Amino acid sequence: MIMVTDTAAPATESAIVESIRVAVPEHGLQHDLRAISIVWRRELIRFRTDRLRAVTALVQPILFLFILGTGLSSLARGSMPGNVDFKTFIYPGVLAMSVLFTAIFSAGSIVWDREFGFLREILVAPVSRASIVIGKCLGGATIATFQGIIFLALAGFAHVPYNPVLLLTLVGELLLLSFTLTAFGVMMAARITQFQAFMALTQMLVMPLFFLSGALYPLSGLPGWLTILTRIDPLTYVVGPMRHAVFSHLSLPTGAQHVLAPGLTWAGWAVPVWLSLGIVAVMGLAMMSIAIEQFRKTE
Amino acid sequence: MSPTVRRQNPIPVPARLVSGVTVSIPPSTTGSQPLTMAAADGPADGAAGGPRPVIEVAGLAKRYGEVEAVRGIDLTVRAGETFGFLGPNGAGKTTTIKILCTLANATSGSARVAGFDTATQRDAVRRNIGLVFQDTTLDGYLTAEQNLRFHAELYGVPKAAVLPRMRQVLDMVGLWDRKDSLVSTFSGGMQRRLEIARGLLHAPHVLFLDEPTVGLDPQTRSSIWAYINELKGREDITIFLTTHYMDEAEHCDRIAIIDHGQIVAIDTPEALKASIGKDRVQIQTADDQAAIAALAGTFGLDAAVHEGAVTFSVASGEQFVPRLFTELGIPIRSVSVSRPSLDDVFMSYTGKTIRDAEASGTDAMRQMAARFRGRR
Ligand SMILES: Nc1ncnc2c1ncn2[C@@H]1O[C@H](COP(=O)(O)OP(=O)(O)O)[C@@H](O)[C@H]1O
Ligand SMILES: [Mg+2]
């Protein structure tokens, strides 16, 4: 049909500025990868431009390590096996904490995007819900790991050696933890429509997760009820291996390591590190799958 | 201008760019472009042989709990048409668009867009549509260019085409030189223009615009309309828009008037106005009450005082005026005859005037939230 222009767009101009033909491709792996990558990149751009967020996310772990840690280390001095500084003892747990908020808030930006409309732009795109959720989980995992690496730079203050193998191990474990936490956040964000509610809910969950993970105390010799609760907390399965990694790079009498980093047990059975981390990975993947399912639903 | 023709089986099209660079864009792998636009087809009033409908809606209904947002609407939009959905706040315009755009499921009825079912062929529908929502859906923390890039990647726009196409759409809305600015620093009108550019980036067959000018000042509104009209001439596109501004409906080839989730009238603006068949006559007299009584007594006309003048409707107003002077028997100081406006059309189909002055409470709140965000 002939299209009529109401405005004074001159015919010559229309002819010159011919529309650029773009064919949106049908679903394919390449398209999905591009979608995952751009969702991931957006997370990185946001993290880079929002310096304030990175700084504020450091406040809490620094308080725990330097204020609580220093305060308690004077109390614990002499009673710590092998004369280990209390700060060294809590460092792995506080390191895990340094990624907690960043990962979950990165997922929470979905709720924010929903409130401010950007989520619609994403949901109406001809791209699988899976690639959106995967991109989001990887993005959150990446920026939370960056956040953890900033805190990792402070390891020396807690007398944790800058050993390359140790650092790589810790970064790997942080990445896994960040991924699972983001997946958890995305799963929650799929159902929650108000940012306030999301914040309140995560605040309520995050601190118990942290306190039950054994970040601040050894996991052996606890009363039965607390032992059970710590074994239910997924964070335990990352904090344990992280502490194991740190303590195996310290030169300590064997007795000290046994008391302070006894390793995780299930009714007396020592859970190997690989299984511990495997559990976290499986949980992350499961929660991500649930999130994908939830984003498939339409109003 | 040369009307563009979309082929049934697209072959690689060397796109001529503004700069003179030629980029070959691979054909869509769908193998079936459902739309055919033949150069000779006029808006043939839905007759067979016209272009295939781009939007087909049958018995569409949507219920949110107790609220029946849309109650069984039927409509057809042909390729290349600019179709307007006109109705007051809460009429069900956004809900209809959400269903057509695969963002909501209909409670009953069906809808096809660009030849694909909106319930069962979501991805195919999504590939073929562009959207500008009522509320902004830009990421204010990203620059204009980053927003467009995000869109291009999500829609899988061929890599070689991204930059030239981005330049083209940004040039069209006059934002190319602001591409590196954060969107949160843009005014409402600029954000809306950017959204229109983004909606066009992947060259959709159908562009949905939900209240494209709501909350904008009159000058910005008319500039948005200039872009939309220019777009109609330049792109091979069907436009489906909603508005609650009467004057904007005049830009549409056809409009549907929707009220309480139902279509009460559907036709070209001219035909709708003509269907009322009567002109509006307003007279100033020395004694309005006597004039009203005389109009009723002598001509059997129902008159009332509106806007400080005795107002009534009558067929062929100009021809009636001479009779009025000779037969009314009351001195007339001035007279004006006007053709029916869309306001009159709306009034005659729904029994009330459209209240476009006040945005509803929720609309006002959303706009406040958007403004708050823009300031951050
Ligand atoms: N998600 C929703 N939940 C409940 N009611 C809704 C929802 N969306 C819209 N409605 C209701 O449906 C009706 C139509 O709304 P809408 O389509 O937004 O109207 P319009 O866009 O014409 O102003 C309104 O009464 C509105 O309150
Ligand atoms: Mg609306």
Side-chain angles (χ1 to χ4, degrees), chain B residues 101 104 111 124 171 174-175 194 250 263 303 320 331 336-337 346 365 376:
Chain B
C101 297
D171 269 338
L175 286 174
L194 181 60
E250 305 272 3
I263 291 181
F320 178 73
S336 79
V337 179
F346 192 86
M365 260 170 62
R376 290 171 59 96

Side-chain angles (χ1 to χ4, degrees), chain B residues 53-222:
Chain B
V54 173
I55 302 174
E56 295 165 273
V57 173
L60 200 69
K62 174 71 178 176
R63 169 190 283 279
Y64 288 109
E66 291 289 286
V67 183
E68 283 188 86
V70 176
R71 321 191 212 187
I73 61 172
D74 301 277
L75 63 89
T76 305
V77 179
R78 290 179 290 270
E81 239 183 343
T82 298
F83 188 88
F85 226 39
L86 179 68
N89 277 317
K93 304 184 295 294
T94 301
T95 306
T96 308
I97 285 210
K98 274 165 89 177
I99 297 170
L100 294 181
C101 297
T102 75
L103 278 175
N105 287 320
T107 311
S108 63
S110 72
R112 294 179 81 79
V113 173
F116 301 105
D117 191 288
T118 55
T120 58
Q121 297 170 295
R122 284 168 194 265
D123 264 353
V125 171
R126 287 173 183 152
R127 269 198 302 278
N128 285 290
I129 61 172
L131 268 162
V132 177
F133 292 104
Q134 184 171 354
D135 312 300
T136 175
T137 61
L138 295 163
D139 184 345
Y141 294 101
L142 299 183
T143 65
E145 174 174 358
Q146 284 168 338
N147 267 285
L148 293 197
R149 271 207 188 273
F150 187 91
H151 187 88
E153 296 293 310
L154 271 195
Y155 280 74
V157 174
K159 285 213 164 71
V162 174
L163 194 66
R165 179 69 184 169
M166 189 149 75
R167 164 133 213 184
Q168 187 180 43
V169 292
L170 281 177
D171 269 338
M172 190 189 113
V173 297
L175 286 174
W176 174 251
D177 54 337
R178 295 296 306 273
K179 70 180 182 1
D180 297 319
S181 306
L182 280 186
V183 166
S184 57
T185 65
F186 281 12
S187 69
M190 288 163 76
Q191 293 195 359
R192 196 48 60 94
R193 273 148 58 197
L194 181 60
E195 287 196 83
I196 293 175
R198 186 181 64 182
L200 292 170
L201 190 64
H202 57 287
H205 291 119
V206 192
L207 181 66
F208 289 95
L209 299 160
D210 194 7
E211 312 242 9
T213 59
V214 75
L216 302 179
D217 60 85
Q219 207 177 346
T220 314
R221 276 174 59 187
S222 69

